[in-house]
Amino acid sequence: MSDVVLQIDGRAVNAKKGMTLLEAARSAAISIPTLCYHEKLEPYGGCRLCTVEAEARGSTKLVAACLYPAEQGLMVRTRSKKVDKIRKLILELLLAHAPLSEELRRLAGEYGADRNRFEKEPSFCILCGLCERYCAEVKGKNAVGLINSGARREICFIPEIASKDCTGCKECFPLCPTSYLQAAFVLVDGLMFHQ
Ligand code: SF4
Ligand code: FES
């Protein structure tokens, strides 16, 4: 693996070939907010909160830092008017679904997002997919699944697997940015496992 040197927020950062911009930034203690990223999971690119500006050969584009590769000579800006505007909008949209999420509220404060900009449609899950992917990729269990499509998409516990494997695990619980997962488990636990 050879090294590449790129600039992040004006600093020269050494990265290994194959690293993403997020990994390169974090290796240099430069923080980029994420909601659907986890270092043990395959990149997903769902939330776009990690959007940054990447400039190469005079052209600048907005990219998801958790997916975009660290390239030689790239100039990356993790904060700019454009980046902050996108993050603010994403947070406002997500807050309509999960208005009580402490993590979203904290980020809203940082990016000046209006928690009441959009009409509330509380589904409480923001479909980051962390729970489902962690269960499948790290635990190899598939006890949590995403069902339906479009606006009706939601996570659910698969009772036959969850009743055997979840009680002693719950490793996905602290990953959930909204606490919906815990509530969903309490519900399914009460309904399915103790009949
Ligand atoms: S339940 Fe939580 S962790 Fe799972 S997809 Fe929804 S917000 Fe993400
Ligand atoms: S953290 Fe990169 S898209 Fe969600």
Side-chain angles (χ1 to χ4, degrees):
M1 292 232 283
S2 59
D3 284 336
V4 295
V5 183
L6 65 161
Q7 260 198 38
I8 306 182
D9 295 342
R11 278 172 55 191
V13 172
N14 282 293
K16 296 275 180 216
K17 207 162 181 195
M19 271 184 165
T20 62
L21 294 182
L22 180 65
E23 289 166 335
R26 288 193 174 170
S27 74
I30 296 168
S31 102
I32 296 174
T34 61
L35 284 169
C36 69
Y37 170 82
H38 189 287
E39 64 276 5
K40 289 187 181 166
L41 304 179
E42 287 296 313
Y44 185 60
C47 72
R48 299 281 151 171
L49 195 68
C50 66
T51 295
V52 296
E53 281 188 340
E55 184 181 334
R57 292 172 288 281
S59 103
T60 303
K61 50 188 175 183
L62 293 162
V63 299
C66 69
L67 296 176
Y68 201 85
E71 290 167 355
Q72 179 67 32
L74 202 64
M75 296 210 311
V76 178
R77 283 178 290 279
T78 68
R79 295 291 296 256
S80 69
K81 260 194 177 167
K82 262 192 197 159
V83 165
D84 282 13
K85 203 171 157 192
I86 288 170
R87 290 185 188 155
K88 175 176 175 291
L89 177 64
I90 291 170
L91 291 165
E92 288 169 341
L93 288 165
L94 292 177
L95 276 158
H97 293 290
L100 302 179
S101 161
E102 297 212 348
E103 191 164 349
L104 292 182
R105 285 171 164 235
R106 180 186 63 75
L107 286 161
E110 193 175 334
Y111 289 93
D114 177 353
R115 283 168 18 197
N116 300 308
R117 176 161 174 203
F118 294 106
E119 200 177 325
K120 300 273 179 295
E121 294 174 41
S123 55
F124 305 104
C125 169
I126 58 168
L127 299 173
C128 71
L130 281 174
C131 54
E132 183 212 21
R133 291 179 293 125
Y134 187 89
C135 190
E137 294 177 34
V138 177
K139 305 301 290 183
K141 292 291 183 192
N142 300 300
V144 192
L146 273 166
I147 54 164
N148 301 327
S149 57
R152 295 183 56 243
R153 203 143 186 257
E154 60 177 327
I155 66 114
C156 72
F157 285 89
I158 312 299
E160 307 82 60
I161 308 173
S163 58
K164 285 202 301 286
D165 292 308
C166 290
T167 308
C169 174
K170 298 184 181 169
E171 285 176 31
C172 60
F173 281 27
L175 307 184
C176 178
T178 70
S179 302
Y180 174 75
L181 189 64
Q182 292 87 326
F185 182 77
V186 170
L187 198 67
V188 80
D189 190 35
L191 285 174
M192 310 290 291
F193 305 164
H194 302 298
Q195 282 178 349

